[in-house]
Amino acid sequence: MNPTAENPLRVVVWGENRHEQVEPHVAAIYPDGMHAAIKSGIEEHLGDRVRVTTALLDDPDHGLSEERLAQTDVLTWWGHAAHAEVSDEVVERVHRHVLDGMGLVVLHSGHWSKIFVKLMGTSCTLRWRSENDRELVWTIDPTHPIAQGVPHPIEIPQQEMYGEQFDIPRPDEIVFLSTFSGGEVFRSGITYRRGNGKIFYFSPGDQDYPVYHHRDVRRVIANGVLWAASDRPARETPVLLRYESGDFFTGHGYQGAMHNRDDA
Amino acid sequence: MNPTAENPLRVVVWGENRHEQVEPHVAAIYPDGMHAAIKSGIEEHLGDRVRVTTALLDDPDHGLSEERLAQTDVLTWWGHAAHAEVSDEVVERVHRHVLDGMGLVVLHSGHWSKIFVKLMGTSCTLRWRSENDRELVWTIDPTHPIAQGVPHPIEIPQQEMYGEQFDIPRPDEIVFLSTFSGGEVFRSGITYRRGNGKIFYFSPGDQDYPVYHHRDVRRVIANGVLWAASDRPARETPVLLRYESGDFFTGHGYQGAMHNRDDA
Amino acid sequence: MNPTAENPLRVVVWGENRHEQVEPHVAAIYPDGMHAAIKSGIEEHLGDRVRVTTALLDDPDHGLSEERLAQTDVLTWWGHAAHAEVSDEVVERVHRHVLDGMGLVVLHSGHWSKIFVKLMGTSCTLRWRSENDRELVWTIDPTHPIAQGVPHPIEIPQQEMYGEQFDIPRPDEIVFLSTFSGGEVFRSGITYRRGNGKIFYFSPGDQDYPVYHHRDVRRVIANGVLWAASDRPARETPVLLRYESGDFFTGHGYQGAMHNRDDA
Amino acid sequence: MNPTAENPLRVVVWGENRHEQVEPHVAAIYPDGMHAAIKSGIEEHLGDRVRVTTALLDDPDHGLSEERLAQTDVLTWWGHAAHAEVSDEVVERVHRHVLDGMGLVVLHSGHWSKIFVKLMGTSCTLRWRSENDRELVWTIDPTHPIAQGVPHPIEIPQQEMYGEQFDIPRPDEIVFLSTFSGGEVFRSGITYRRGNGKIFYFSPGDQDYPVYHHRDVRRVIANGVLWAASDRPARETPVLLRYESGDFFTGHGYQGAMHNRDDA
């Protein structure tokens, strides 16, 4: 997809928005919420090629109605303290839209969100420590569009440590690897395709540190949003269909496991 | 793992066992059930290095109690008509055991089983036709242990057609690709790692054709069982733990998202 | 890269141009040479966003001087009968430009070209037959930009058969799989990254059949050219450099294996 | 392969053996040469299931005659100061044996050996520093046989730093990632298949530090040797052959590019 001012990418930045309400030190760093910082980072880099709105956990339907998702090219997801409060119905809806072709950018503690865990099929556990580690983000795939425009490495002075083993499926692509002062390593920028959709997970970013104000982190998120947007002409649900011999294009309905033989 | 007669691999062949009860033409091909044919194929190749038992949908707990799974090195799964009847509780249990290190071999229509769909995170849909296609199974990775001892290609005279697009995550390894008389193609032998467990999906095999009596198909399933057995010394659940700086080995408990800072 | 009429992609279509000179039946299909057909297919789809020229084996330096390659964003390669006549010096030059970031699209029998074999590190052998097989090209990765705008499957009425095992490194991405009337299968559309460069191999296309006049094949080649163009700002050679502790950005010269310790 | 005392794995440890002759501090660490330390590490773990010999650069034919390679299941390779002295003829010979099915374990500075560079097709460059960094080797794939029996992470008190970007093809599997005191990261344990052969690259190990006496490093190398041994029944060269329609098993000779049509 090659968005323009006339045909901009429609991005929804989803935020849990709880730490900001409850913890003064978080509110001090992100006075308008982390979602506002993430939104402004995307706009800063993509300008009028993108139209960004936000959706919050406490909005009706978490701000993610069927109608809204149908109008969303890429969804970004930040959650942490309230993963369990996200309704299963909304998770199913987002999951379907990803398989149909909506892009998804999962950030930091979103690794344990219901939607990411469902898409991965694993526990998505890791090792962690929040003690002001310095994080270095190294580009492993120098050809990747998500890696353009940032130094090698990106230096983040203060960060939570996320370390291996990260219990995830083998990524389609590893774009970035991170190291921490303590010596840990993490697959911090990775991509997956699921159905017709593309997923980018990027771990830098935390409520306790001003990571979403970091210029390189903002650039990577903007790059990731652009990359995750589908190249396909339309949203489409993968379906199971029968195709007669010699006809490759007119699949027809599945009528149940016991009807194999009568189906033709 | 290198099983011996003294320390054999413990395999459970799980079967839905419905078609065999309801459809006379299936019972004619598999008088003792498909699970019996699959079991005998594994024993034929692995002999006393393996101890195979069966478990059926209609058994209490589907034959898959916590105690039994804890004693199972590799589980094979065939289901089709009654995927929906498998209890979510058992699916969760099997899922956890796979992440902990139990091997899983998913056969044919098991692509749409609850356990496979949960592990994949996608729709696992495909195109199909049951019209006596000839299937050819080509080895793509000649170094893979699962591909040893079978011709290139394996010829299966009569088969159901399964064709792309198969909505699955990118496999860790593609061992086999199949073609069908009608011209379709399918990633028919693929591997995944999830958590500490290994998964092999193999599509040849059907209730309407005597595929589980085919000598090469039986060999591949036996190879897959051997491959899926863990090399790890013990079952282990991936967990999320905090590690203090400089201490790599004594992770301690996660106390919730709001306790990051006080945790130490 | 997002080429425009003001800043078009510079593409060189390299052709061996021997069959067309020696075999009347080839000349009948491709009166201006296969390179002309490939060129027009790219122009047909990319229009003024691309500036395509051709280079031929019999040109001085095979048309691939240092200066020309430095001005080339993407090189396409078709060779067959005269792989051995390509000078090693030119192969080294093209190889270096690929590692530096030039895109490369290798077509059909180019699988056995010196440049492809050198980049792959394997024998690049396969099975084949030129007997009017029908080829079906199935899209395996529906999210891939190279797969956009073509039917699933692409039908090519007459083709040479290329079959597995294709002795290549595991592809970074499998975009297309092909089947043939005879039942064979082939990884027909695959991608690799090497150094800072991107490589797309696409097997449909032959001197004996009018494959480069096929609308979908032309579309795929145009898509491949666009995809292979680098997203990086400039050509850059990967180098081995020493970096002092704490300095991530100013690598300095390697002075030989015996100078490790004195180097600082 | 499952070697036994009766049917042991035949391993050749190849050593350049120059630093040990020229640099007293290296000779002090490795009085019998690095090859002797590597050999003893493999024997320590595999016992009588393996028969290890050594071959040196200064041996006739570098100790790697056609006859010897034909009797070698797995070759390990350590070189550094004298890569250029390895004859191209021997490199071609080793390359062919790898494609035919011989296992290859490339160690540390062997990343720049002729044989590894030829198999990879890239520059194999990296960033480095020899300043007593501590290296931590983290297991990324806990299911991999090569990762069994070692702590997570392995701690190596003193090491040369090897850092990204490492200009290699995307690995088939990343088993280990390393971090260094200075903050760098490296894909330190990776696998590739090439032809019928399996390759394991493992970066820990250096002439200036006693890394080949480290118990965990020795264990990984032994694991790698065992893994790289072929599961195939015999050495076999990938060849390009024609197969007539309907005959999948009796390929016949390729007679040159201009004989496509008359070949049948």
Side-chain angles (χ1 to χ4, degrees), chain B residues 115-171:
Chain B
I115 181 62
F116 191 65
V117 171
K118 181 176 176 68
L119 282 161
M120 296 295 103
T122 56
S123 72
C124 299
T125 50
L126 45 76
R127 66 172 62 200
W128 67 280
R129 171 182 63 242
S130 191
E131 289 290 342
N132 293 314
D133 274 75
R134 177 193 65 179
E135 177 172 0
L136 298 172
V137 185
W138 299 88
T139 296
I140 300 307
D141 181 351
T143 70
H144 206 287
I146 294 180
Q148 304 311 308
V150 294
H152 175 71
I154 299 170
E155 299 179 83
I156 305 175
Q158 288 184 298
Q159 247 290 41
E160 183 177 19
M161 180 279 285
Y162 273 13
E164 300 282 347
Q165 295 168 350
F166 187 18
D167 178 22
I168 46 170
R170 196 173 293 179

Side-chain angles (χ1 to χ4, degrees), chain C:
Chain C
M1 186 175 176
N2 180 26
T4 59
E6 292 71 42
N7 190 23
L9 201 65
R10 299 161 303 173
V11 179
V12 172
V13 170
W14 191 86
E16 183 185 281
N17 196 32
R18 286 291 166 83
H19 288 277
E20 301 92 320
Q21 306 298 320
V22 177
E23 299 185 286
H25 75 275
V26 178
I29 302 171
Y30 299 107
D32 301 314
M34 270 178 284
H35 49 282
I38 294 165
K39 177 178 184 286
S40 78
I42 298 169
E43 291 169 334
E44 177 181 298
H45 286 285
L46 300 182
D48 61 6
R49 300 164 65 201
V50 74
R51 200 177 65 230
V52 189
T53 56
T54 61
L56 302 178
L57 176 63
D58 289 333
D59 291 347
D61 245 355
H62 310 324
L64 300 173
S65 65
E66 176 60 34
E67 190 182 7
R68 181 138 189 221
L69 289 173
Q71 304 290 327
T72 301
D73 295 310
V74 179
L75 176 67
T76 76
W77 194 279
W78 195 99
H80 182 232
H83 289 320
E85 295 179 41
V86 177
S87 87
D88 290 341
E89 188 188 342
V90 169
V91 172
E92 290 298 321
R93 193 183 295 152
V94 173
H95 184 257
R96 178 170 38 80
H97 276 278
V98 171
L99 297 191
D100 291 2
M102 184 178 70
L104 181 69
V105 175
V106 176
L107 298 170
H108 191 60
S109 46
H111 76 90
W112 240 13
S113 63
K114 287 182 178 179
I115 181 61
F116 190 65
V117 171
K118 183 177 175 68
L119 282 161
M120 296 295 103
T122 56
S123 72
C124 299
T125 50
L126 45 78
R127 65 173 61 201
W128 66 279
R129 172 181 64 241
S130 191
E131 290 290 344
N132 293 314
D133 274 76
R134 177 193 64 177
E135 178 173 358
L136 298 172
V137 185
W138 300 87
T139 295
I140 300 308
D141 181 351
T143 70
H144 205 288
I146 294 180
Q148 302 312 309
V150 294
H152 174 69
I154 299 170
E155 299 180 83
I156 305 176
Q158 288 183 298
Q159 247 290 40
E160 184 176 20
M161 181 278 286
Y162 272 14
E164 298 284 344
Q165 293 168 349
F166 186 18
D167 178 23
I168 47 169
R170 194 173 294 179
D172 291 3
E173 297 165 309
I174 300 178
V175 183
F176 301 114
L177 290 175
S178 285
T179 63
F180 296 85
S181 316
E184 288 87 358
V185 70
F186 198 64
R187 288 169 287 177
S188 54
I190 54 182
T191 73
Y192 295 97
R193 282 83 181 156
R194 290 294 183 266
N196 293 318
K198 301 202 288 185
I199 302 167
F200 175 54
Y201 172 76
F202 187 55
S203 64
D206 192 68
Q207 73 279 3
D208 291 333
Y209 306 108
V211 181
Y212 292 121
H213 299 307
H214 190 294
R215 65 172 268 169
D216 300 325
V217 169
R218 292 159 77 96
R219 174 69 188 258
V220 169
I221 294 172
N223 286 348
V225 162
L226 201 54
W227 173 87
S230 180
D231 289 299
R232 296 169 59 85
R235 208 63 60 88
E236 186 181 354
T237 301
V239 285
L240 189 145
L241 289 174
R242 180 181 170 111
Y243 288 78
E244 301 309 318
S245 293
D247 178 356
F248 302 121
F249 301 108
T250 51
H252 53 97
Y254 179 67
Q255 300 169 9
M258 286 303 189
H259 294 82
N260 265 7
R261 308 199 119 211
D262 319 328
D263 197 59

Side-chain angles (χ1 to χ4, degrees), chain D residues 30-44:
Chain D
Y30 298 108
D32 301 315
M34 270 179 284
H35 50 280
I38 294 165
K39 175 177 185 287
S40 79
I42 298 169
E43 292 168 333
E44 177 181 299

